[in-house]
Amino acid sequence: MNFEQIYSPNPNFSNRYISPEKLFSYLQDNLSHYIQEIGRSYLDKPIYKLTIGTGAINVLAWSQMHGNESNATHAMLDLLETLDKAPELKEDLLSKIKLDFIFMLNPDGSERWTRLNAADIDLNRDFHNESSKEIKFLKKAVASNKYDYALNLHEQRTIFTTDGIHPATLSFLAPSENIERTVTDNRKKCMAVIGKVYEHLKELIPNQIGRYSDEFYPTSTGDNFIKAGMPTILFEGGHFIDDYTRKGTRKYYTVALYYALKAISELNSDIEGWEKYLEIPENQETHYDIIYRNVKLNTDHECILDVAVQYREIIEEGKDEISFVPFVMEVGDVKKRKGWLEVDCTGKKFVAATKYPKLDAPAEFTIED
């Protein structure tokens, strides 16, 4: 039985945006025997850790360290939903591993749909300073147990592809422990797990699996955890064609989470097959969301150029789903980049209140025949 064939999204969370209060209520109503509060955020919201499994291999994972990255929270909810429908798979997996999953490490940022927490701190760059309350709770959780593996779960922007054509729907990383990017045994443990996930997923979403840059970041969480001896695997959920609400990404993120845990249960710290990781193409930064080609501006002299636009995601008060606001990112010769949507404006009119599109401002113009 393949997990992807029985995949079942949790019906209580159909939107990309997850209200923290809704998540808290769901966990308390449905998983109260498995959760415990490990701390409270800057704005005094609870941070919950769920513990499942009876196996000897200890795994720690966390979601929404960046509040506007909900796919991992969805993936854990969907994993539980799917395993409940497949008791044999569930028993096989959870008899070998014990998983501690921290839901929504940054609930304040999750509520506002921002990368930062309520004190405007990036938790993933706060490892040493510990300026945020939330990073202290994560580090305390790590120190409380001897974890064999950790899963650092994130999302990436739509700008990334695997080959300049296909979106990097999922990317993985075995983080570096030093500036030299030495391939240590702990990195090989991570690479072996990622290699097994890649072998499975490359048939499901061919050319859409990438490898995140292994540049060493001295202040980041994953780099420091693996440097301290805990094998830590980075997940990055990305773009899926014509799917900005990331329902496709959500599905394959969940599938990847399952096969990562399965690989962990089978490898049990072995490094067999780690070289497969090196076959994964590295992410390329090649795309904007929209590029308007051959735009003729309303100037006194002839001015024809490209306008590149990227969506910014916001949550508006009273709404239960995020909105996508187009912003101008580049104006001029944008031939080195592609757009997920490209609009040829040859022979069409640029209609706007200003002569030139303003950089880093909303794309308040229309293209008319």
Side-chain angles (χ1 to χ4, degrees):
M1 182 186 298
N2 290 328
F3 182 88
E4 62 273 12
Q5 294 173 330
I6 57 169
Y7 165 76
S8 299
N10 187 305
N12 297 282
F13 299 92
S14 57
N15 292 339
R16 188 168 167 204
Y17 178 76
I18 300 176
S19 159
E21 300 304 326
K22 183 176 180 180
L23 176 66
F24 303 155
S25 294
Y26 178 84
L27 295 176
Q28 290 159 358
D29 292 345
N30 296 275
L31 297 163
S32 59
H33 295 303
Y34 304 97
I35 62 170
Q36 68 175 107
E37 185 179 309
I38 63 167
R40 299 189 78 86
S41 70
Y42 184 85
L43 296 180
D44 203 37
K45 295 187 187 304
I47 299 170
Y48 289 111
K49 181 181 75 175
L50 172 135
T51 300
I52 54 171
T54 57
I57 304 170
N58 290 311
V59 184
L60 176 68
W62 56 94
S63 72
Q64 285 185 270
M65 169 175 270
H66 294 141
N68 59 352
E69 299 175 2
S70 61
N71 259 165
T73 302
H74 280 122
M76 187 61 198
L77 294 166
D78 292 355
L79 176 70
L80 295 173
E81 183 79 14
T82 305
L83 288 178
D84 280 345
K85 294 176 168 36
E88 290 183 10
L89 286 186
K90 183 176 183 178
E91 171 60 25
D92 180 62
L93 180 66
L94 298 184
S95 65
K96 296 174 183 174
I97 68 166
K98 181 180 179 183
L99 172 64
D100 285 344
F101 191 97
I102 299 173
F103 278 99
M104 204 174 269
L105 181 65
N106 179 8
D108 300 338
S110 300
E111 182 171 59
R112 301 185 303 164
W113 196 252
T114 60
R115 178 182 177 90
L116 309 180
N117 76 349
D120 289 333
I121 296 168
D122 185 340
L123 304 187
N124 203 30
R125 296 293 182 269
D126 189 37
F127 190 88
H128 297 299
N129 286 346
E130 294 188 1
S131 302
S132 62
K133 295 177 66 176
E134 296 89 349
I135 198 68
K136 293 177 183 177
F137 300 135
L138 176 61
K139 292 175 73 171
K140 184 177 179 181
V142 170
S144 70
N145 199 351
K146 188 180 185 309
Y147 289 104
D148 300 290
Y149 296 86
L151 305 179
N152 184 13
L153 306 175
H154 288 267
E155 287 184 58
Q156 62 189 358
R157 292 169 291 165
T158 60
I159 61 177
F160 293 110
T161 64
T162 61
D163 54 8
I165 301 170
H166 299 89
T169 300
L170 287 171
S171 297
F172 302 95
L173 173 66
S176 295
E177 299 180 32
N178 51 39
I179 294 173
E180 294 76 22
R181 310 184 191 190
T182 307
V183 179
T184 62
D185 282 344
N186 273 337
R187 292 193 72 194
K188 287 180 180 179
K189 290 177 185 179
C190 299
M191 291 174 181
V193 172
I194 295 169
K196 284 187 173 291
V197 175
Y198 175 62
E199 278 292 280
H200 200 93
L201 283 176
K202 72 178 183 178
E203 306 300 327
L204 300 176
I205 45 174
N207 303 308
Q208 290 175 239
I209 308 296
R211 179 159 49 96
Y212 208 75
S213 167
D214 66 351
E215 177 184 354
F216 179 68
Y217 289 92
T219 61
S220 73
T221 306
D223 300 54
N224 279 286
F225 278 151
I226 196 168
K227 182 180 178 181
M230 181 173 65
T232 305
I233 298 168
L234 175 72
F235 279 51
E236 293 278 358
H239 188 48
F240 204 96
I241 294 291
D242 297 327
D243 180 24
Y244 280 87
T245 56
R246 298 201 169 181
K247 287 183 168 56
T249 306
R250 169 180 175 170
K251 173 180 178 179
Y252 292 106
Y253 205 121
T254 309
V255 172
L257 179 58
Y258 169 76
Y259 283 108
L261 294 173
K262 187 172 188 292
I264 285 170
S265 75
E266 294 169 347
L267 286 164
N268 194 13
S269 296
D270 199 346
I271 62 171
E272 179 186 357
W274 70 269
E275 300 92 345
K276 180 66 64 175
Y277 172 84
L278 303 177
E279 297 178 13
I280 304 173
E282 189 166 328
N283 280 359
Q284 301 178 33
E285 190 174 326
T286 63
H287 274 60
Y288 287 112
D289 289 322
I290 307 171
I291 298 180
Y292 296 91
R293 301 287 186 191
N294 309 309
V295 178
K296 185 176 182 180
L297 299 184
N298 302 318
T299 55
D300 297 333
H301 62 286
E302 184 168 90
C303 182
I304 299 176
L305 41 68
D306 301 330
V307 181
V309 168
Q310 196 74 11
Y311 289 121
R312 291 191 186 173
E313 301 169 0
I314 62 169
I315 186 70
E316 299 177 81
E317 188 174 350
K319 292 192 175 181
D320 57 6
E321 184 57 295
I322 58 174
S323 300
F324 298 88
V325 180
F327 271 68
V328 177
M329 301 306 295
E330 192 174 345
V331 177
D333 185 348
V334 195
K335 291 185 178 63
K336 291 184 178 180
R337 290 284 196 102
K338 299 176 183 177
W340 294 117
L341 173 65
E342 298 214 358
V343 181
D344 185 0
C345 301
T346 303
K348 297 182 179 181
K349 291 176 60 178
F350 172 80
V351 180
T354 58
K355 288 185 178 181
Y356 296 93
K358 188 176 181 181
L359 286 176
D360 203 33
E364 295 175 336
F365 61 84
T366 58
I367 304 295
E368 299 180 4
D369 292 330

